[in-house]
């Protein structure tokens, strides 16, 4: 079952549709009943007060809109739908006035400026105004309206269509509840009228034979049209419910899971068992889910990398990356490379160690092993100090190794060893290398932007980072931050590689203000936006955000009897390593979660039951709750009669 029909589901946003028949009688052609509006407005006030910034009101058009709708004739006048504007706004204003008298910050919005169709027929939604009102804890008020069509004319959009405007966000977080008093299959007033508990959105016609017929006066086809629109919303991933509206009732239960609604609240859920996830939640250690501003930046206009605008962009990104790493604007520089984090790491290792130098590699996981492999590829003399997989780095052992061998000029280590989720003691090692006059190179690919790291205070000579992990950018740009004096000293080193020669990149970027080779400019613009967000949020605040998500994941896993690899004091906040003991294999777990919209990561070894959950990027509380619900579903589907022993997991590999 998809998350759209998962038990225990609660919405982040509630779109409340109050049917026009609840406050006017379109058979009689009368106007709006102000007392009915007042009664329902009091219920909406209580709901909005209990969940500020999480409610959108959509009102039916009522009798006034219905009368105008019957006169619209697009064949005669393609703009005749404009006549609906006046009564539709009158209805919105009646609701807005009543709500504001009750102390609600209600604001009416016109769909014409928020919604329409593109020339190719695709939906064109602009819900920024709705979002900003919600962020200000206001209540947006929508209704039926007219909107611009693909051919430039106007058409009527019913109030049941209007919730589509809110589905540009993750539809899985939205619940649409339609209140109505139309008798029939879904809202019968008594037992003489059947109520379906659930209707498959893939086949809404299954309810047709149970719908009550309506008269010729009903231009909107009553319940049939409502069901068709709600089914379309449900197919996109929203949770859609139809229930009966009562003027003296309460609405606060509408945010609760459906199974916990009061027994007397008869309702129908419209859902589809297999709705493709509208948003994939990336719980792998990079790439990550990014902010919309970062995603928008990738669509920047075409440009030439040799123009002044590109040079300004390069300088901007380098300055901001240096600041995030803790370097001074005058004392440090950042060299940007088009390539994954591995490109920058190889450039740093291959360039920083001089021909007469030797490297000490600290190894307690897969990426420590890889540092040694990079050195070996470039035939750099290196000693590997192994602490054992998932074992802490011992600063005393590092100091002994350096004291015993003065020829070890450089030390390389991983800050966040993502094969295990272990955070290594960079500051402690930096104090040792500074005191002994050695140079420290740190792989901060999976830590920079979240974990405490200051290249100046921690004595880091070479810091390697990447865009697409804790900095929350997009893949394709990596960088090396170092003191300018260290970069200048590279001039005397013979190059071990052509493309990854750090000295050549430094000379080009600080000398001519341009890259040595063609950069991925659009990805660079996305990183610029991501760095702005990082600096605005602050590393400490981002750490707190990641830590809260990690704590929720770890608590949820522990409550389910899932063991974690490391003790709390050794864990980074952006990744959790765990493994199952109930017979469920990684492949079944991964595939089941991915089907529900969540991507986790493996550990090394085909038969390992270990898995990793990263909490990098724009992961929300709702995402974590959804993951745990999906995890329960997958474990239930693959429940084994007897627990199987768990082999010791080994580190996995991610693309860096």
């Amino acid at each position: 079952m998809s998350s759209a029909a998962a038990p225990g589901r609660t919405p982040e946003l509630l779109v409340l549709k109050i049917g026009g028949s609840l406050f006017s009688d379109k058979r009689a052609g009368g106007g709006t009943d102000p007392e009915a509006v007042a009664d329902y407005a009091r219920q909406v006030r209580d709901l909005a007060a209990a969940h500020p910034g999480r409610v959108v009101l959509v009102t039916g058009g009522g009798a006034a809109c219905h009368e105008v709708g019957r006169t619209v004739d697009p064949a005669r006048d393609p703009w005749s739908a404009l006549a609906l504007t006046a009564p539709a706004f009158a209805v919105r204003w009646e609701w807005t006035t009543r709500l504001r008298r009750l102390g609600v910050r209600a604001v009416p919005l016109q769909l014409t400026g928020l919604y329409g169709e593109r020339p190719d027929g695709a939906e064109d939604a602009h819900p920024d105004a709705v979002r900003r009102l919600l962020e200000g804890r206001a209540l947006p008020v929508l209704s039926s309206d007219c909107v611009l069509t693909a051919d430039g004319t106007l058409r009527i959009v019913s109030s049941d269509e209007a919730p589509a405007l809110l589905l540009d966000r993750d539809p899985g977080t939205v619940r649409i509840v339609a209140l109505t008093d139309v008798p029939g299959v879904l809202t019968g007033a008594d037992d003489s009228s059947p109520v379906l508990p659930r209707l498959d959105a893939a086949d809404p016609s299954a309810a047709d034979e149970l719908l009550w017929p309506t008269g010729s006066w009903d231009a909107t086809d009553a319940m049939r049209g409502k069901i068709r629109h709600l089914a379309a919303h449900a197919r996109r991933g929203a949770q859609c419910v139809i229930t009966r509206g009562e003027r003296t009732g309460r609405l606060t239960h509408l945010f609760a899971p459906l199974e916990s609604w009061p027994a007397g609240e008869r309702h129908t859920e419209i859902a589809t068992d297999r709705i493709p996830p509208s948003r994939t939640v990336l719980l792998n250690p990079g790439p990550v889910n990014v902010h919309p501003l970062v995603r928008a930046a990738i669509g920047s206009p075409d440009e030439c990398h040799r123009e002044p605008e590109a040079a300004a962009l390069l300088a901007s990104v380098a300055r901001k990356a240096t600041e995030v790493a803790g370097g001074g604007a005058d004392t440090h520089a950042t060299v940007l490379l088009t390539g994954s984090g591995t490109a920058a790491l190889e450039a740093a290792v291959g360039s920083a160690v001089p021909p007469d130098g030797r490297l000490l590699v600290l190894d307690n996981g897969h990426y420590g092993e890889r540092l040694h492999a990079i050195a070996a590829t470039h035939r750099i003399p290196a000693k590997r100090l192994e602490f054992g997989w998932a074992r802490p780095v011992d600063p005393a052992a590092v100091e002994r190794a350096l004291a015993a061998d003065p020829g070890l000029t450089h030390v390389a280590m991983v800050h966040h060893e993502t094969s295990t989720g272990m955070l290594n003691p960079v500051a402690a090692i930096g104090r040792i290398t500074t005191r002994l006059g050695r140079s420290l190179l740190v792989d901060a690919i999976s830590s920079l932007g979240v974990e405490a790291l200051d290249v100046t205070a921690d004595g880091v000579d070479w810091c390697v980072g990447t865009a697409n992990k804790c900095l929350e950018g997009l893949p394709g740009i990596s960088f090396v931050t170092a003191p300018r004096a260290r970069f200048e000293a590279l001039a005397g080193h013979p190059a071990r590689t052509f493309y990854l020669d750090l000295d050549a990149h430094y000379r080009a970027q600080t000398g001519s203000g341009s890259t040595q080779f063609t950069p991925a400019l659009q990805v660079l613009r996305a990183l610029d936006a991501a760095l702005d967000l990082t600096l605005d949020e602050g590393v400490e605040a981002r750490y707190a955000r990641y830590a809260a998500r990690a704590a929720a994941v770890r608590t949820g896993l522990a409550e389910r009897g899932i063991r974690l690899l490391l003790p709390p004091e050794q864990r980074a906040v952006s990744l959790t390593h765990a493994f199952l003991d109930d017979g469920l294999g990684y492949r079944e777990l991964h595939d089941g979660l991915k089907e529900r919209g969540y991507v986790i990561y493996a550990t090394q070894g085909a038969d390992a039951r270990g898995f990793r959950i990263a909490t990098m990027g724009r992961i929300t509380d709702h995402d974590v709750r959804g993951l745990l619900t999906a995890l329960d579903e997958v474990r239930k589907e693959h429940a084994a009669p007897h627990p199987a022993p768990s082999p010791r997991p080994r580190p996995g590999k991610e693309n860096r």
Side-chain angles (χ1 to χ4, degrees):
M1 182 179 293
S2 76
S3 60
R9 180 180 180 188
T10 58
E12 291 291 306
L13 179 69
L14 179 72
V15 182
L16 177 64
K17 160 63 193 306
I18 299 181
S21 60
L22 294 173
F23 55 86
S24 67
D25 186 353
K26 58 187 177 182
R27 287 173 296 183
T32 299
D33 179 354
E35 292 308 312
V37 173
D39 288 341
Y40 282 106
R42 281 187 282 271
Q43 299 181 52
V44 175
R45 173 200 59 191
D46 295 341
L47 181 66
H51 304 278
R54 296 173 61 192
V55 180
V56 174
L57 175 62
V58 179
T59 75
C65 289
H66 178 76
E67 282 299 304
V68 172
R70 294 178 62 189
T71 67
V72 169
D73 185 1
R76 177 183 57 83
D77 179 3
W79 288 79
S80 61
L82 186 63
L84 187 71
T85 302
F89 187 81
V91 170
R92 287 196 297 276
W93 188 245
E94 176 71 26
W95 280 93
T96 300
T97 301
R98 290 286 176 174
L99 288 164
R100 294 187 73 88
R101 287 176 185 171
L102 295 170
V104 180
R105 298 178 62 194
V107 180
L109 294 175
Q110 189 168 359
L111 284 183
T112 307
L114 302 176
Y115 184 78
E117 299 172 1
R118 299 175 188 169
D120 62 1
E123 177 183 288
D124 189 14
H126 305 281
D128 290 347
V130 180
R131 288 200 202 95
R132 291 176 63 186
L133 288 173
L134 291 170
E135 290 169 359
R137 298 197 165 192
L139 176 71
V141 181
L142 307 173
S143 73
S144 54
D145 214 329
C146 61
V147 299
L148 196 64
T149 66
D151 61 7
T153 61
L154 295 176
R155 75 172 177 90
I156 291 178
V157 168
S158 77
S159 53
D160 290 314
E161 287 182 82
L165 177 71
L166 285 307
L167 299 184
D168 73 307
R169 58 187 288 164
D170 178 10
T173 68
V174 179
R175 174 180 289 169
I176 302 169
V177 176
L179 300 184
T180 183
D181 67 351
V182 177
V185 59
L186 303 170
T187 59
D190 53 47
D191 291 339
S192 65
S193 177
V195 175
L196 292 179
R198 192 169 184 280
L199 181 64
D200 187 352
D203 184 21
S205 63
D208 286 355
E209 64 183 36
L210 297 175
L211 295 176
W212 284 30
T214 55
S216 59
W217 48 266
D218 186 6
T220 60
D221 202 16
M223 293 299 294
R224 184 173 285 102
K226 183 184 304 295
I227 290 171
R228 294 293 188 274
H229 291 309
L230 290 177
H233 303 329
R235 288 194 295 272
R236 290 179 59 180
Q239 186 180 41
C240 298
V241 185
I242 300 177
T243 189
R244 189 172 180 82
E246 300 289 349
R247 287 175 62 169
T248 58
R250 291 178 57 82
L251 302 175
T252 51
H253 65 281
L254 297 184
F255 271 91
L258 294 184
E259 59 268 23
S260 65
W261 279 22
E265 294 289 340
R266 304 174 74 187
H267 62 270
T268 292
E269 179 186 13
I270 303 178
T272 296
D273 283 345
R274 295 298 176 190
I275 300 173
S278 60
R279 170 177 176 262
T280 299
V281 180
L282 299 180
L283 301 166
N284 51 283
V288 301
N289 293 110
V290 300
H291 192 282
L293 290 175
V294 174
R295 192 175 300 109
I298 198 74
S300 60
D302 300 336
E303 56 187 315
C304 175
H305 65 294
R306 299 300 184 196
E307 293 300 309
E309 297 81 5
L313 173 64
L314 190 72
S316 172
V317 173
R319 174 181 56 79
K320 294 168 187 176
T322 301
E323 183 177 350
V324 171
D330 297 329
T331 58
H332 289 72
T334 291
V335 169
L336 296 154
L337 298 166
T338 294
S340 69
T342 304
L345 187 64
E346 185 165 355
V349 173
S351 302
V353 183
D356 58 350
R358 291 174 57 228
L359 182 66
L360 177 67
V361 176
L362 311 186
D363 176 9
N364 66 340
H366 172 75
Y367 294 102
E369 293 177 3
R370 195 177 63 163
L371 274 169
H372 188 265
I374 291 172
T377 298
H378 291 284
R379 296 179 174 83
I380 297 171
K383 178 179 180 180
R384 185 172 165 192
L385 186 57
E386 296 185 68
F387 296 94
W389 183 79
R391 304 293 183 188
V393 168
D394 179 6
V398 176
E399 185 163 9
R400 288 193 297 270
L402 292 174
D405 190 346
L408 293 169
T409 57
H410 291 64
V411 176
M413 68 179 298
V414 178
H415 190 199
H416 174 201
E417 178 55 74
T418 43
S419 61
T420 62
M422 180 173 285
L423 195 67
N424 288 325
V426 165
I429 302 302
R431 288 191 291 270
I432 294 169
T433 55
T434 300
R435 186 170 63 253
L436 297 180
R438 315 299 170 85
S439 183
L440 178 60
L441 186 155
V442 174
D443 172 350
I445 290 171
S446 293
S447 62
L448 189 63
V450 166
E451 300 289 352
L453 179 65
D454 186 311
V455 294
T456 303
D458 296 339
V460 177
D461 296 297
W462 304 95
C463 178
V464 179
T466 195
N468 59 286
K469 292 182 184 283
C470 300
L471 292 179
E472 301 184 355
L474 295 169
I477 298 292
S478 57
F479 55 89
V480 180
T481 301
R484 291 181 182 273
R486 295 289 184 183
F487 278 120
E488 294 291 346
L490 296 180
H493 299 186
R496 293 186 172 97
T497 175
F498 184 77
Y499 184 80
L500 299 178
D501 179 12
L502 202 54
D503 177 55
H505 285 284
Y506 172 73
R507 300 291 168 186
Q509 293 180 30
T510 60
S512 64
S514 181
T515 54
Q516 187 181 19
F517 306 110
T518 305
L521 279 179
Q522 281 74 20
V523 181
L524 202 59
R525 290 210 176 274
L527 177 55
D528 193 44
L531 287 168
D532 283 338
L533 293 168
T534 301
L535 292 169
D536 287 345
E537 183 177 18
V539 172
E540 290 184 2
R542 183 164 293 185
Y543 176 93
R545 172 161 64 89
Y546 278 35
R549 303 291 181 268
V553 167
R554 291 161 185 172
T555 298
L557 294 178
E559 289 173 347
R560 289 159 175 78
I562 297 174
R563 295 186 290 128
L564 306 184
L565 175 66
L566 300 175
E569 67 275 8
Q570 295 176 1
R571 301 172 190 157
V573 296
S574 57
L575 188 135
T576 300
H577 190 301
F579 44 95
L580 297 166
D581 292 333
D582 59 359
L584 178 63
Y586 170 76
R587 181 49 54 192
E588 292 84 4
L589 178 62
H590 170 274
D591 291 353
L593 290 177
K594 184 176 181 181
E595 182 180 275
R596 292 160 171 82
Y598 303 90
V599 174
I600 61 171
Y601 228 61
T603 58
Q604 195 174 37
D607 61 345
R609 300 194 189 278
F611 64 97
R612 290 176 290 168
I613 296 176
T615 41
M616 300 176 181
R618 294 282 159 168
I619 304 299
T620 67
D621 290 334
H622 180 271
D623 292 333
V624 174
R625 291 194 299 269
L627 165 70
L628 295 173
T629 298
L631 177 62
D632 291 339
E633 293 178 7
V634 176
R635 295 182 79 191
K636 184 177 180 180
E637 285 181 2
H638 296 276
H642 302 290
S646 174
R648 179 173 175 79
R650 289 286 298 162
K653 300 178 180 180
E654 68 254 21
N655 294 324
R656 295 173 60 178

